[in-house]
């Protein structure tokens, strides 16, 4: 059996085994490939990687708190993973660990599906954590005019922006910073957990949306609930909106492409993964 895993801490909530096993089934590979979840604590990551390289699995996905640590531990980084110093997919090939990051490509593919082309426009990101970094650096590699990274902790936004200073501009996540950034924005992306089910935390005030031009689209990386208060308000004000489900699905599809070392039919895999999620709810 070719074994794959998702590792993290906590990990019990992960939908990755459900999605990946549904796709493996669709591809007729369920007899020879299997995908499970393993709790691996932060301090256990080096031991886990050694076990993986010794052959307990063909590869694994990683979530909190491992992505940045793995970027320093694997034997080789893909250009995308090297750019964002973050790894969410590790393939074991001939005893070597190859690290990839599929979060940024997953986000951009979800934009493509929704016909929200960021090229040539100005983007505003809310947040400067791991997800914001993946999204910012992926967009910085496209023909996007400017990306403003608005964060509560300005220093963290400045650190992120230093990776691509020509394209990325830091700003404070306060009313003035937001209104200035949004004035000529074509795409606003929430990369903070505000609005996510279970956190109990919301944007205190969504009136900053009034500064967004009418044709500006609004994305939320949060996918539970399917429509956050930010997206509901944006939709009510006439903006096109998109939640984080597509990013979740595509980061998994691209990870499976790396594990299998083959291109997959994206539309077919998205249908299968979405159906598996819907059945589980
Ligand atoms: P992270 O590394 O912990 O970063 C969180 C960011 O949110 C930081 O910039 C933080 O600001 C900001 N933030 C947190 N609480 C805040 C508050 N009360 N007010 C203002 N800003 C606040 O988290 P992450 O991994 O980037 O994930 C961020 C979100 O994206 C989560 O909801 C996650 O579920 C979602 N996500 C979705 C996908 C997907 O596939 N759809 C993939 C990855 C992540 P400070 O720096 O000031 O603390």
């Amino acid at each position: 059996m070719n074994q794959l895993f998702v590792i993290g801490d906590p990990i019990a909530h992960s939908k990755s085994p459900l999605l990946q096993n549904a796709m493996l089934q669709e591809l007729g590979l369920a007899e020879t490939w299997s995908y499970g979840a393993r709790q691996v604590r932060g301090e256990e990551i080096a031991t886990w990687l050694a076990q993986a390289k010794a052959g307990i699995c063909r590869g694994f996905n990683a979530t909190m708190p491992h992505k940045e640590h793995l970027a320093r531990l694997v034997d080789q980084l893909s250009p995308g993973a090297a750019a964002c110093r973050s790894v969410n997919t590790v393939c074991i090939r001939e005893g070597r660990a190859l690290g990839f990051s599929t979060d940024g490509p997953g986000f951009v593919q979800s934009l493509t599906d929704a016909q929200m082309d960021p090229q040539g426009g100005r983007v505003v990101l809310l947040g400067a954590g791991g997800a914001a970094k993946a999204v910012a650096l992926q967009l910085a590699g496209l023909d996007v005019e400017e990306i403003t990274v608005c964060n509560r902790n300005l220093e963290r936004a400045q650190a992120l922006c230093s990776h691509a200073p020509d394209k990325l501009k830091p700003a404070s996540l306060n009313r003035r910073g937001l209104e200035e950034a949004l004035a000529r924005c074509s795409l606003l992306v929430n990369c903070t957990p505000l609005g996510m089910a279970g956190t109990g935390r919301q944007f205190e005030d969504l009136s900053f949306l009034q500064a967004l031009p009418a044709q500006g689209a609004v994305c939320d990386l949060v996918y539970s609930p399917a429509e956050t208060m930010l997206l509901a308000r944006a939709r009510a004000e006439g903006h096109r909106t998109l939640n984080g489900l597509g990013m979740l699905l595509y980061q998994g599809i691209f990870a499976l492409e790396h594990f299998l070392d083959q291109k997959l039919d994206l539309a077919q895999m998205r249908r299968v993964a979405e159906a598996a999620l819907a059945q589980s709810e």
Side-chain angles (χ1 to χ4, degrees), residues 13-15 18-19 197 223-227 243-245 248-249 273-281:
H13 67 286
S14 175
K15 298 280 187 200
L18 174 80
L19 300 177
Y223 50 84
S224 176
E227 187 174 62
N243 70 17
L245 182 64
L248 174 78
L249 299 178
E274 235 166 341
L277 264 188
Q279 265 178 20
S280 76
E281 278 161 7

Side-chain angles (χ1 to χ4, degrees), residues 11-268:
I11 202 60
H13 67 286
S14 175
K15 298 280 187 200
S16 293
L18 174 80
L19 300 177
Q20 295 288 349
N21 285 315
M23 293 191 286
L24 289 167
Q25 176 92 38
E26 174 77 6
L27 293 166
L29 296 174
E31 303 282 299
T32 47
W33 290 78
S34 178
Y35 190 107
R38 278 279 175 91
Q39 186 183 28
V40 175
R41 286 191 278 270
E43 65 275 17
E44 296 168 339
I45 188 63
T47 309
W48 166 264
L49 188 64
Q51 290 172 341
K53 287 167 71 168
I56 66 165
C57 64
R58 293 286 302 271
F60 60 92
N61 288 122
T63 181
M64 264 191 4
H66 301 307
K67 292 182 184 183
E68 295 196 347
H69 199 172
L70 273 171
R72 298 193 294 274
L73 290 179
V74 295
D75 297 304
Q76 195 178 321
L77 287 173
S78 69
C84 63
R85 309 298 302 165
S86 170
V87 163
N88 75 340
T89 302
V90 176
C91 296
I92 308 296
R93 303 235 169 89
E94 294 165 3
R96 298 182 77 239
L98 314 184
F100 302 87
S101 177
T102 64
D103 286 331
F107 173 71
V108 169
Q109 182 62 42
S110 77
L111 284 185
T112 303
D113 269 19
Q115 298 182 319
M116 289 183 182
D117 184 0
Q119 313 244 39
R122 288 170 177 260
V123 179
V124 173
L125 304 185
L126 309 181
K133 192 171 168 193
V135 166
L137 293 173
Q138 191 72 29
L139 292 175
L142 303 178
D143 189 18
V144 172
E145 199 178 320
E146 189 173 278
I147 301 153
T148 307
V149 178
C150 299
N151 199 44
R152 182 175 59 178
N153 174 343
L154 181 61
E155 283 178 14
R156 201 172 177 192
Q158 287 165 335
L160 195 171
C161 293
S162 69
H163 293 282
D166 291 352
K167 288 272 181 76
L168 305 179
K169 307 291 171 208
S172 295
L173 187 65
N174 56 30
R175 193 169 181 101
R176 186 154 168 224
L178 272 177
E179 285 182 352
E180 278 177 19
L182 288 174
R184 289 188 292 148
C185 167
S186 56
L187 177 67
L188 167 67
V189 188
N190 175 37
C191 306
T192 78
L194 293 173
M196 187 163 91
T199 64
R201 287 180 297 165
Q202 294 288 348
F203 287 95
E204 282 169 20
D205 178 8
L206 289 167
S207 59
F208 61 81
L209 280 173
Q210 285 160 9
L212 182 68
Q215 67 279 13
V218 181
C219 292
D220 205 323
L221 299 195
V222 173
Y223 50 84
S224 176
E227 187 174 62
T228 57
M229 285 173 71
L230 172 71
L231 292 188
R233 175 79 171 261
R235 186 168 57 85
E237 293 188 7
H239 299 286
R240 289 187 302 145
T241 61
L242 179 68
N243 70 17
L245 182 64
M247 175 177 176
L248 174 78
L249 299 178
Y250 283 119
Q251 61 80 26
I253 295 168
F254 292 144
L256 188 57
E257 286 192 333
H258 289 306
F259 293 139
L260 300 176
D261 200 16
Q262 74 178 70
K263 285 283 171 206
L264 299 173
D265 180 330
L266 298 184
Q268 177 195 16

